[in-house]
């Protein structure tokens, strides 16, 4: 029951579709521009870096807010760390599959980044530092945001398992296995939502950061 409550709380927060709503403010449907995605990268591509940054920050804050709320509600619960991850899964599902947008949302990487950060606050700072270094290095060297995103998803799982086995998460054996399973689902969701990116990466046709998709000129809001 607690797990379902956390999923529902997370899903409700995830329904805040920042990129889509920001586009509506400027009378465009972001899903009909650029990559057709409602997430941060497409908001950056279509609306410019300022709106892209706002989208990124709000998408992260909705995950952090949901997790902190659950941690407050279940602060006396020994499984609060597990419940926090369930909440992150709920936010991801709401962000990726919003019911009022015909289940067509973002890809959940900003949400995952926020989940990594808030989890590291209660476990080990390296949980954030290592994925951040890998993501930034990958994007700088290759200019493939998608490649960096796929890497941090896998890293998140690997680090959760590592620190779980080291005792930093504070859960029993069976609850740790459940935690690993939930994070594995998050990784599967990330890779599923990036499936077209994966195919383009393999074929060498993936759009690089800074390039205009199909030579489309971004709408520079406020520039």
């Amino acid at each position: 029951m607690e797990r379902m409550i956390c999923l529902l709380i997370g899903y409700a927060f995830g329904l805040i579709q920042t990129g889509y709503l920001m586009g509506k403010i400027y009378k465009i449907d972001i899903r009909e521009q650029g990559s057709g995605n409602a997430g941060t990268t497409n908001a950056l591509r279509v609306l410019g870096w300022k709106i892209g940054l706002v989208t990124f920050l709000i998408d992260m804050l909705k995950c952090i807010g949901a997790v902190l709320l659950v941690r407050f509600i279940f602060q006396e619960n020994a499984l609060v760390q597990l419940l926090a991850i369930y909440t992150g899964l709920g936010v991801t599902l709401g962000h990726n599959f919003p019911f009022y947008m015909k289940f067509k949302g973002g890809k959940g990487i900003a949400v995952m980044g926020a989940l990594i950060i808030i989890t590291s606050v209660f476990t080990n700072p390296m949980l954030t530092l290592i994925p951040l270094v890998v993501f930034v290095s990958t994007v700088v060297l290759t200019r493939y945001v998608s490649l960096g995103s796929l890497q941090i998803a896998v890293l998140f799982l690997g680090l959760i398992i590592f620190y779980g086995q080291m005792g930093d998460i504070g859960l029993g054996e069976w609850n740790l296995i459940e935690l690993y399973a939930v994070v594995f689902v998050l990784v599967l969701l990330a890779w599923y939502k990036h499936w077209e990116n994966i195919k383009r990466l393999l074929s060498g046709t993936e759009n690089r950061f800074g390039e205009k998709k199909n030579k489309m000129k971004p709408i520079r809001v406020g520039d």
Side-chain angles (χ1 to χ4, degrees):
M1 184 63 179
E2 294 164 341
R3 292 163 176 77
M4 182 59 65
I5 290 172
C6 293
L7 283 171
L8 290 174
I9 289 174
Y11 189 82
F13 274 79
L15 291 177
I16 304 171
Q17 292 292 315
T18 316
Y20 173 77
L21 295 173
M22 293 301 293
K24 283 299 183 182
I25 290 173
Y26 297 99
K27 303 187 185 309
I28 67 167
D29 188 339
I30 194 173
R31 298 170 301 170
E32 297 176 356
Q33 303 283 341
S35 66
N37 187 263
T40 298
T41 303
N42 201 39
L44 178 67
R45 180 183 294 120
V46 174
L47 298 171
W49 70 269
K50 292 180 182 178
I51 301 303
L53 179 60
V54 170
T55 300
F56 175 72
L57 291 176
I58 296 178
D59 281 348
M60 292 192 74
L61 286 173
K62 70 187 182 187
C63 180
I64 292 173
V67 170
L68 289 178
L69 176 60
V70 163
R71 282 189 168 275
F72 175 75
I73 295 172
F74 297 103
Q75 56 186 304
E76 302 299 328
N77 194 310
L79 300 180
V80 64
Q81 188 68 274
L82 175 61
L83 297 177
I85 298 298
Y86 268 103
T87 306
L89 174 59
V91 178
T92 302
L93 291 172
H95 179 81
N96 291 3
F97 309 106
F99 71 90
Y100 66 94
M101 291 170 56
K102 299 181 179 179
F103 302 98
K104 184 180 178 182
K107 296 181 180 179
I109 296 302
V111 171
M112 178 174 284
L115 184 59
I116 291 172
I117 290 171
I118 196 62
T119 303
S120 73
V121 170
F122 295 94
T123 54
N124 191 305
M126 295 302 290
L127 189 64
T128 290
L129 183 59
I130 294 173
L132 178 62
V133 170
V134 170
F135 178 79
V136 171
S137 300
T138 299
V139 175
V140 168
L141 292 174
T142 69
R143 292 169 57 207
Y144 288 134
V145 175
S146 56
L147 181 59
S149 300
L150 293 166
Q151 287 179 320
I152 65 169
V154 175
L155 267 175
F156 184 33
L157 176 60
L159 290 169
I160 280 289
I161 293 174
F162 176 77
Y163 289 116
Q165 296 305 116
M166 291 289 289
D168 288 354
I169 295 180
L171 293 171
E173 180 181 355
W174 289 108
N175 292 129
L176 276 176
I177 292 173
E178 183 180 357
L179 176 70
Y180 303 156
V182 176
V183 177
F184 181 67
V185 171
L186 285 167
V187 174
L188 289 181
L189 285 171
W191 280 63
Y192 168 73
K193 293 294 286 187
H194 282 81
W195 184 244
E196 293 301 320
N197 301 87
I198 293 170
K199 291 193 288 187
R200 290 194 296 268
L201 282 168
L202 293 174
S203 66
T205 59
E206 173 69 329
N207 194 52
R208 293 179 186 268
F209 181 74
E211 290 181 344
K212 314 296 189 299
K213 190 175 182 65
N214 296 329
K215 298 182 179 181
M216 180 196 68
K217 292 183 179 180
I219 302 168
R220 296 294 179 182
V221 179
D223 285 1

